[in-house]
Amino acid sequence: MTFYKFPVEENMNCPVYLFASKEIYAEIEKTALNQLLNASTLPGVEVVVGMPDLHQGYGLPIGGVMAAARNGPISPGAVGFDINCGVRLLKTGLKASDLKDKNIILRRLQQAIPAGVGEGSNLNFSEREFKEILANGVSKLIEAGYVSRKAAANCEDNGNFKEADPDTVSSQAISRGIEQLNTLGSGNHFVELQEVASVSDSDELEEGDLMVMVHTGSRGFGHQVATDYIDLAKKTRDKYGLSFPTNNLAFFPWDSKEGRNYLGAMGAAANFAYANRTFLTESIKRVFTELYPDSYIELFYDHTHNIAREEKHVVNGKEMDLLVHRKGATRLASGGKALIPGSMGTGSYVVKSADSENTRLSLNSTAHGAGRKMSRTQAKKSISRQDHMRSLGDVEVVSAGKNILDESPLAYKDITEVISSLQISDLAYPVAQLKPLLCIKG
DNA sequence: ATGTTC
């Protein structure tokens, strides 16, 4: 069994494919699977796919892909609250063995990176400049001289989501976001120092290389955009004569003004997140330059796992224009690579596309991480501090949050099983494995 | 994920 197919029945508009090994499938909650099946009942949905890190989310499960045809839905809930949550991997020019005092760099990074819920930034922007960043992302940062041209290379969308439109964003989102560029956030967001543990198929990485991985998104800005447009979708339901299988999957019609405005606002949040990860990279660069003058910080790759984008795919032998909503799922183009972080204290991976029949069935998608095994509440209740500390091994972790048991590796699926599941399903294969050394959690 | 129950 390389994947599961749920045939069209009852109100479903298309079959649902779940790419998971038998072991992984057994761990997936019924609620997550039901959410995935539910997505196929939206009128105009052509393809629904689940990744092996599937777990319960808001409307669409995390690890879910929902593609709408030209007459289909635009659903802000199917992208989720952290628009352009994503991962980037940085090269440092150092070997892990060059690290002199782990404690010093950990503390310096912690000082340099504002982290935690509601934590503001050390940067100041006028509203006009902030809106230019929303409109043009990393391109604006380059133009303004904040970063070098290299900042856009190796970044998905070149760090500039073309359809972004700051005029479709509420003033509340602007006021929340303007003070949050260059901040890490909370929850599963992190900055981690990693060592390349093994390389099987990559000429860009070498065993022993010291890398930095960053996982964060669009903070309160994207959250406000999502909130605004989910509310609007609920309000415009009757105007367009729609019915929703669940309010969490409230949607706009493809050609509606409100739907197009959402895509503009979503794009602005995408650019916020690209800019946020770019500014964080500058902060990291300053710490490295101060402590290790011979180091450099260079972007290896950056991509999102929460976004909707228009893409062409062949479905049932026919080429179609689709709006592909991915939530906790990464686009992995044929011949391309992707980053798959594990939970803190466990390994992360660089994978390449298997370029198979199944990668096409999945609309060129891959997993975004280990995926939760337990809800946050369940984790805080059932994981002891002792077991959590033991699960971290010798990885040093500092965190802004006081209780991060809900982020314990014990609350997540085993990343190696997710990776092997991707291989079994013929979606992707690992080309490099990264071992965590130090971790700064939000 | 989130000015963590506007």
Side-chain angles (χ1 to χ4, degrees):
Chain A
M1 179 76 74
T2 60
F3 62 98
Y4 294 81
K5 179 180 179 177
F6 301 86
V8 182
E9 53 181 70
E10 289 179 46
N11 303 320
M12 290 165 67
N13 291 311
C14 61
V16 171
Y17 297 98
L18 176 57
F19 293 92
S21 67
K22 219 165 86 182
E23 292 77 12
I24 286 274
Y25 180 73
E27 271 193 348
I28 291 172
E29 324 123 90
K30 268 274 168 292
T31 47
L33 189 54
N34 285 338
Q35 286 183 325
L36 197 66
L37 295 170
N38 217 4
S40 73
T41 69
L42 265 60
V45 166
E46 284 290 328
V47 181
V48 172
V49 177
M51 293 294 123
D53 50 341
L54 199 83
H55 59 101
Q56 193 185 335
Y58 176 94
L60 189 70
I62 321 294
V65 180
M66 180 185 92
R70 279 200 156 275
N71 60 343
I74 299 173
S75 174
V79 172
F81 285 91
D82 194 0
I83 297 164
N84 188 5
C85 186
V87 194
R88 70 167 42 194
L89 187 62
L90 308 169
K91 298 181 81 163
T92 66
L94 299 176
K95 293 287 177 187
S97 54
D98 294 331
L99 272 183
K100 290 181 291 235
D101 191 329
K102 286 187 188 180
N103 227 13
I104 289 176
I105 192 162
L106 187 62
R107 299 296 159 195
R108 284 290 299 115
L109 285 169
Q110 197 181 19
Q111 284 162 7
I113 296 166
V117 178
E119 188 61 36
S121 165
N122 46 11
L123 303 176
N124 281 302
F125 299 100
S126 67
E127 185 165 324
R128 180 176 162 177
E129 187 174 26
F130 182 63
K131 284 188 171 174
E132 286 170 4
I133 294 173
L134 298 179
N136 299 303
V138 176
S139 305
K140 169 64 190 173
L141 306 195
I142 293 169
E143 183 208 303
Y146 295 127
V147 296
S148 81
R149 294 222 153 264
K150 279 184 176 174
N154 302 323
C155 190
E156 197 171 15
D157 301 310
N158 288 313
N160 184 356
F161 198 92
K162 287 280 178 270
E163 292 77 15
D165 181 0
D167 294 337
T168 59
V169 165
S170 70
S171 54
Q172 204 183 351
I174 301 278
S175 65
R176 278 181 76 172
I178 199 163
E179 291 173 355
Q180 291 190 318
L181 279 168
N182 194 35
T183 66
L184 184 62
S186 67
N188 60 10
H189 292 164
F190 64 79
V191 170
E192 194 168 84
L193 262 57
Q194 304 177 336
E195 175 180 359
V196 176
S198 63
V199 182
S200 55
D201 182 11
S202 169
D203 46 20
E204 304 168 292
L205 298 170
E206 273 180 30
E207 232 171 86
D209 286 351
L210 180 70
M211 312 291 284
V212 185
M213 187 174 271
V214 180
H215 178 211
T216 187
S218 52
R219 309 286 285 102
F221 180 80
H223 193 277
Q224 192 60 49
V225 167
T227 305
D228 291 340
Y229 279 94
I230 289 168
D231 286 350
L232 184 64
K234 289 178 194 167
K235 282 187 197 138
T236 48
R237 183 191 63 186
D238 293 344
K239 173 180 165 185
Y240 291 114
L242 306 172
S243 66
F244 306 142
T246 156
N247 265 342
N248 296 354
L249 280 176
F251 61 88
F252 303 110
W254 181 282
D255 282 321
S256 64
K257 179 93 175 92
E258 292 88 347
R260 292 292 134 184
N261 283 353
Y262 168 67
L263 293 179
M266 181 203 74
N271 282 340
F272 180 105
Y274 284 136
N276 190 30
R277 291 196 287 273
T278 301
F279 279 124
L280 286 167
T281 301
E282 290 302 300
S283 296
I284 292 164
K285 190 185 286 181
R286 277 192 288 276
V287 172
F288 267 83
T289 309
E290 175 202 327
L291 296 178
Y292 298 93
D294 293 339
S295 68
Y296 61 80
I297 292 288
E298 208 167 79
L299 183 57
F300 175 76
Y301 198 39
D302 178 303
H303 62 69
T304 173
H305 46 236
N306 285 358
I307 202 81
R309 56 169 92 241
E310 290 187 44
E311 299 173 9
K312 283 186 195 305
H313 290 280
V314 176
V315 182
N316 297 325
K318 203 175 91 187
E319 187 175 81
M320 300 187 82
D321 289 317
L322 299 171
L323 183 70
V324 184
H325 303 68
R326 290 193 185 84
K327 181 196 278 182
T330 300
R331 180 176 64 163
L332 177 51
S334 171
K337 65 185 178 214
L339 310 171
I340 306 187
S343 52
M344 70 168 135
T346 66
S348 296
Y349 291 82
V350 181
V351 302
K352 279 188 180 171
S353 168
D355 205 0
S356 67
E357 200 47 50
N358 282 1
T359 62
R360 286 177 277 284
L361 264 187
S362 76
L363 306 186
N364 296 324
S365 305
T366 194
H368 87 304
R372 287 197 159 275
K373 190 162 71 178
M374 291 178 200
S375 71
R376 293 192 181 278
T377 330
Q378 193 189 348
K380 284 191 174 177
K381 215 160 47 184
S382 67
I383 299 170
S384 76
R385 199 158 285 276
Q386 229 177 4
D387 287 347
H388 164 63
M389 290 309 289
R390 203 173 301 130
S391 74
L392 291 179
D394 54 7
V395 181
E396 287 188 55
V397 179
V398 290
S399 66
K402 285 197 176 70
N403 181 348
I404 55 164
L405 290 174
D406 55 342
E407 282 299 320
S408 173
L410 301 170
Y412 283 85
K413 295 192 225 288
D414 182 348
I415 184 71
T416 59
E417 281 193 35
V418 172
I419 297 293
S420 73
S421 201
L422 291 171
Q423 283 186 278
I424 290 167
S425 296
D426 239 359
L427 290 187
Y429 64 98
V431 298
Q433 189 187 355
L434 305 155
K435 187 180 89 172
L437 303 170
L438 306 170
C439 183
I440 295 162
K441 290 287 289 182

